Amino acid sequence: MPGRLQNYTISIKEKPLAASAEQILKEYFGYGSFRPHQGRLIEAVLAGQDVLGVMPTGAGKSLVFQVPALACKGTTIVVSPLISLMKDQVDALRQSGVEAELLNSSLLPDQKKQVMGRVSEGRSKLLYVAPERLEDAGFLALCQSIDVPLVAVDEAHCVSQWGNDFRPSYSTIPAFIAKLAKRPVVCALTATATGDVREDIVRSLALREPLVSVAGFDRENLYLGVLRPEPAKKRQALLAQVKKHKGESGIIYCSTRAATEEVQAMLQEQGLAATIYHAGLQDVERKRNQDDFLYDRKPVMVATNAFGMGIDKSNISFVIHYNMPSDLESYYQEAGRAGRDGSPADCVLIYNSKDVQTVNYFAEKGHEERLAAGMDSGLSAALYSRDLGRIRKMTSYCKTSDCLRSFILRYFGESDTPYRCERCSSCEAESEVLDVTVEAQKIISCVLRLEQRDRAFGRVMVVDVLRGSAAQNILRLGLDSLSTYGIMKDVPKAFVHAVLDALLEAGLLAVSDGKYPVIGCTAAGRGFLKQAEPFCVKMATAKTQTEVEEPAAAGRSRSAGVTGGVALEGIDQDLFARLKALRLEIARAQELPAFVIFHDSTLAEMCVKRPKTTEEFLTVSGVGQKKTELYAKDFLDCINAGC
Ligand code: ADP
Ligand code: MG
């Protein structure tokens, strides 16, 4: 359809044709409407304003520059940090009939020349490059000779030294822009940006009076779960989750290489195909394993946190954490790789208190390594203390019986008030509100008594004293003579810990920083003892706390949910499976990942609408002009004649 594009071509700053962006969305991408934030950002870009879009993973950031790129004269330059990201996006754009190119180190000199030739002839609407390319004289000369209406900076947090993924070469972007014949509009996009990082992006990229649009962090299609099996049942809990999602694509995150290998072996023993990814593998093997996963040859990836950045696979339907990560930022980012296509997906964390020791150890090691590398000791200590604080928050998430979604959103500063989402393991668990005023008073009194000694004590000691333990160190220190010794001897240990956690969460007790955190009483805790106000906690009932064998206990299967607005429950599963097989065949023939052809949500909608003609086929969300030309016949045949 190259001719039709001309109708929409406008130059930035002219008033855009009212319907053009929407027409492009439908014609090329097959979608009926913009998502919130996309529309605002695109409108601003088309009006010539710089933008910074902060939207969670899967919210649809790519269209924010792809649609304007199609609406404008010239070639949009997209700066992207990873080769795999560029390749997926360019493959997907070409499938949609968009002329897109990439230039990176994976190309041979000849291929590079061809790409540059096509770009200089003005044939490409988008050109993806790694930031290092911007310093290349030949590349700069090329960009100076063509129209560049827009520069898009994807994963823009890489420009900030405060972020986790700082890439020094991102700092060269403003100098590159300044050398272009005419200053383009600049569009920066990221999923992860706190206020500091946001300001840093605007400053470092020298954005001019940008529209900053921040979308909510909630990912409604994700089910959030925490399982707390007994240590001996941890493997069983994992297997139950993986079996529940048999045949679906998923990631299992582990905290160490050894654990990834152990989990992979365990799955293989059960006849579940899984591949593996960690920093200890050779490059070739890592690449092969990643491709096995991306191309759906192996549905499950078992990996350390080295895996994931740049993985845009849209049909991941579960992410299981076999170990607790070190902070909620990492957790939400990793879990958020599920359900990018908007289909329901499960994010389940299997908690074991041993993991707390592991992440503490890593934090301490990080501190030692920074010191060995010559970092200022005060600065490193501050970072260490920040890390320990994050670990405590992560641990609270694993233990809370509050709504998990609400916990995460509060952590990211989105709301102060807890609510019930009804789509997390806390909301689903049978729980009861217990009045634990007396228990709370006992615990706080004990902490106060211990504080009167001339040394501080950790939580294990506090609980042991309350329960009248006869451990040697307690007797040696004479703690058995305290008036609070043994006053909770009939209360189960786990319950004492749970009330203690609730007191910490409520700020009546506090825990110190450092390697051996100690418990202290706050002013609010002292006030509580004096006023004797009631103190209640919500606790999951014993049954739902430990239930792991029954897969339905956590998460919902994808097949019982909705995908992209279409309920999967009622659709013809047989037809759905046939459409998936057809998609896989087409994808393999072109050496492309299946989701680049059509998303699951698009196939599901085909099952419901059962289009008979190409016109009807075009009305399915995710089907544009080009894909109709390429695939309508095969899919219509499959739907109507069976295949
Ligand atoms: P992000 O970069 O924000 O993580 P992507 O740009 O990769 O997200 O988009 C995520 C998914 O959402 C893609 O599969 C994309 O096709 C889909 N998507 C984006 N915008 C829309 C829309 N307006 N309607 C339907 N699907 C959309
Ligand atoms: Mg993206």
Side-chain angles (χ1 to χ4, degrees):
M1 291 276 118
R4 308 246 333 238
L5 184 61
Q6 300 305 317
N7 301 341
Y8 308 136
T9 301
I10 53 168
S11 67
I12 270 177
K13 284 204 172 123
E14 263 169 39
K15 201 166 162 37
L17 300 172
S20 68
E22 257 117 35
Q23 276 172 303
I24 289 171
L25 182 71
K26 182 68 206 152
E27 172 166 343
Y28 286 89
F29 302 96
Y31 298 132
S33 59
F34 285 110
R35 289 183 176 156
H37 294 273
Q38 277 180 333
R40 279 176 73 187
L41 287 163
I42 290 172
E43 213 170 279
V45 170
L46 289 175
Q49 188 183 6
D50 287 356
V51 301
L52 167 59
V54 183
M55 294 156 74
T57 307
K61 288 185 286 296
S62 322
L63 288 184
V64 172
F65 57 85
Q66 289 170 347
V67 169
L70 284 167
C72 296
K73 262 188 226 146
T75 308
T76 288
I77 307 289
V78 185
V79 183
S80 173
L82 289 169
I83 293 179
S84 61
L85 261 179
M86 292 181 206
K87 183 165 175 338
D88 279 355
Q89 291 211 9
V90 169
D91 283 343
L93 283 167
R94 289 184 179 158
Q95 282 291 319
S96 300
V98 178
E99 307 268 358
E101 301 285 353
L102 60 79
L103 270 178
N104 63 34
S105 54
S106 74
L107 299 191
L108 301 170
D110 246 16
Q111 294 173 310
K112 221 173 266 174
K113 239 174 144 176
Q114 286 169 8
V115 171
M116 299 199 35
R118 287 195 292 269
V119 172
S120 70
E121 286 163 20
R123 279 164 51 189
S124 307
K125 295 312 295 174
L126 294 112
L127 172 61
Y128 283 73
V129 294
E132 289 73 18
R133 180 81 33 192
L134 305 180
E135 291 172 284
D136 180 289
F139 177 72
L140 179 65
L142 171 70
C143 294
Q144 285 170 331
S145 71
I146 58 172
D147 269 344
V148 179
L150 176 64
V151 169
V153 183
D154 206 3
E155 312 290 347
H157 57 280
C158 291
V159 81
S160 168
Q161 303 204 35
W162 296 109
N164 293 333
D165 307 305
F166 177 53
R167 281 274 293 258
S169 48
Y170 262 62
S171 319
T172 62
I173 296 172
F176 165 78
I177 291 173
K179 287 184 202 138
L180 294 175
K182 194 167 158 239
R183 186 184 185 278
V185 175
V186 183
C187 163
L189 297 163
T190 176
T192 48
T194 56
D196 288 351
V197 175
R198 229 173 273 161
E199 280 168 27
D200 217 19
I201 294 174
V202 171
R203 198 177 38 244
S204 309
L205 290 177
L207 299 185
R208 294 187 185 164
E209 296 176 18
L211 168 75
V212 180
S213 173
V214 183
F217 274 82
D218 190 14
R219 300 271 312 278
E220 284 186 9
N221 59 320
L222 299 186
Y223 171 91
L224 300 172
V226 174
L227 293 175
R228 309 174 193 94
E230 290 159 26
K233 290 193 174 169
K234 198 176 154 185
R235 293 161 65 103
Q236 211 180 324
L238 174 68
L239 275 178
Q241 288 294 318
V242 179
K243 282 184 179 162
K244 187 176 75 173
H245 289 282
K246 201 163 178 187
E248 293 171 14
S249 189
I251 308 177
I252 300 168
Y253 277 110
C254 303
S255 59
T256 61
R257 296 175 195 180
T260 56
E261 280 157 13
E262 185 194 315
V263 167
Q264 188 199 25
M266 174 173 84
L267 295 178
Q268 269 165 359
E269 249 171 52
Q270 300 280 325
L272 298 162
T275 186
I276 193 168
Y277 191 104
H278 58 66
L281 299 177
Q282 298 289 326
D283 285 356
V284 182
E285 190 177 359
R286 259 207 324 254
K287 169 89 175 67
R288 191 188 61 219
N289 293 357
Q290 174 168 321
D291 285 350
D292 278 347
F293 177 65
L294 282 182
Y295 291 77
D296 292 315
R297 291 189 287 261
K298 298 251 175 82
V300 177
M301 170 60 87
V302 188
T304 61
N305 61 7
F307 178 75
M309 165 88 157
I311 298 300
D312 263 359
K313 194 173 195 304
S314 70
N315 65 337
I316 296 175
S317 67
F318 66 97
V319 172
I320 300 172
H321 279 76
Y322 192 59
N323 299 109
M324 181 186 88
S326 56
D327 50 72
L328 275 165
E329 284 88 346
S330 311
Y331 178 65
Y332 202 48
Q333 193 175 40
E334 286 160 12
R337 297 196 171 116
R340 286 182 79 106
D341 61 359
S343 306
D346 290 346
C347 307
V348 174
L349 194 163
I350 303 179
Y351 172 75
N352 179 320
S353 59
K354 261 211 188 117
D355 295 338
V356 183
Q357 290 166 20
T358 313
V359 286
N360 274 324
Y361 164 78
F362 281 137
E364 189 187 352
K365 202 166 137 220
H367 177 46
E368 281 164 7
E369 283 170 1
R370 286 190 299 267
L371 292 180
M375 184 187 265
D376 172 70
S377 63
L379 178 56
S380 181
L383 290 173
Y384 183 32
S385 152
R386 177 199 72 179
D387 290 346
L388 292 174
R390 288 180 173 178
I391 291 172
R392 275 199 298 279
K393 210 66 199 173
M394 185 71 238
T395 314
S396 306
Y397 174 83
C398 295
K399 292 181 169 181
T400 189
S401 37
D402 282 347
C403 167
L404 296 177
R405 192 175 312 276
S406 159
F407 192 104
I408 286 182
L409 295 182
R410 264 182 292 151
Y411 182 75
F412 289 114
E414 260 186 36
S415 92
D416 299 328
T417 36
Y419 70 98
R420 286 176 62 82
C421 73
E422 307 299 346
R423 287 188 320 287
C424 73
S425 56
S426 290
C427 288
E428 278 187 350
E430 283 173 37
S431 61
E432 46 193 341
V433 176
L434 301 177
D435 184 336
V436 291
T437 311
V438 174
E439 286 82 355
Q441 286 167 343
K442 287 179 178 172
I443 294 173
I444 294 175
S445 306
C446 183
V447 170
L448 285 172
R449 290 283 168 279
L450 285 170
E451 275 187 340
Q452 286 162 5
R453 298 281 169 131
D454 45 4
R455 51 167 289 190
F457 296 94
R459 64 181 298 149
V460 172
M461 203 69 140
V462 173
V463 175
D464 279 355
V465 169
L466 282 162
R467 298 187 68 250
S469 155
Q472 272 209 351
N473 53 353
I474 290 194
L475 304 181
R476 198 180 65 238
L477 294 166
L479 300 180
D480 53 338
S481 66
L482 291 176
S483 59
T484 49
Y485 178 78
I487 52 173
M488 295 181 87
K489 64 174 182 302
D490 299 324
V491 183
K493 201 182 213 169
F495 193 80
V496 183
H497 274 288
V499 179
L500 199 150
D501 280 332
L503 290 168
L504 288 171
E505 204 46 39
L508 301 185
L509 294 178
V511 63
S512 68
D513 286 339
K515 193 173 167 192
Y516 302 105
V518 296
I519 304 269
C521 184
T522 62
R526 286 167 215 272
F528 168 78
L529 268 195
K530 285 200 194 99
Q531 282 144 21
E533 281 167 15
F535 186 75
C536 296
V537 291
K538 196 177 122 220
M539 296 228 182
T541 54
K543 182 174 132 283
T544 45
Q545 272 286 333
T546 52
E547 196 168 33
V548 295
E549 293 95 322
E550 183 50 60
R556 252 179 239 103
S557 154
R558 195 173 167 85
S559 56
V562 287
T563 178
V566 176
L568 274 181
E569 232 165 13
I571 67 169
D572 179 344
Q573 292 300 329
D574 193 45
L575 176 58
F576 191 47
R578 277 187 285 130
L579 292 177
K580 274 181 159 177
L582 172 62
R583 175 182 65 178
L584 191 63
E585 194 186 313
I586 292 173
R588 290 214 169 136
Q590 302 181 64
E591 290 182 44
L592 290 173
F595 60 86
V596 166
I597 309 293
F598 285 126
H599 292 160
D600 282 2
S601 49
T602 301
L603 298 188
E605 199 174 316
M606 287 180 199
C607 292
V608 174
K609 283 195 170 157
R610 289 184 178 265
K612 290 200 170 46
T613 62
T614 44
E615 285 70 39
E616 287 172 13
F617 193 67
L618 254 175
T619 65
V620 175
S621 178
V623 179
Q625 289 284 357
K626 184 74 187 179
K627 289 189 179 174
T628 301
E629 268 170 46
L630 291 173
Y631 307 125
K633 184 170 178 332
D634 288 343
F635 281 85
L636 288 174
D637 281 353
C638 187
I639 293 165
N640 296 301
C643 60

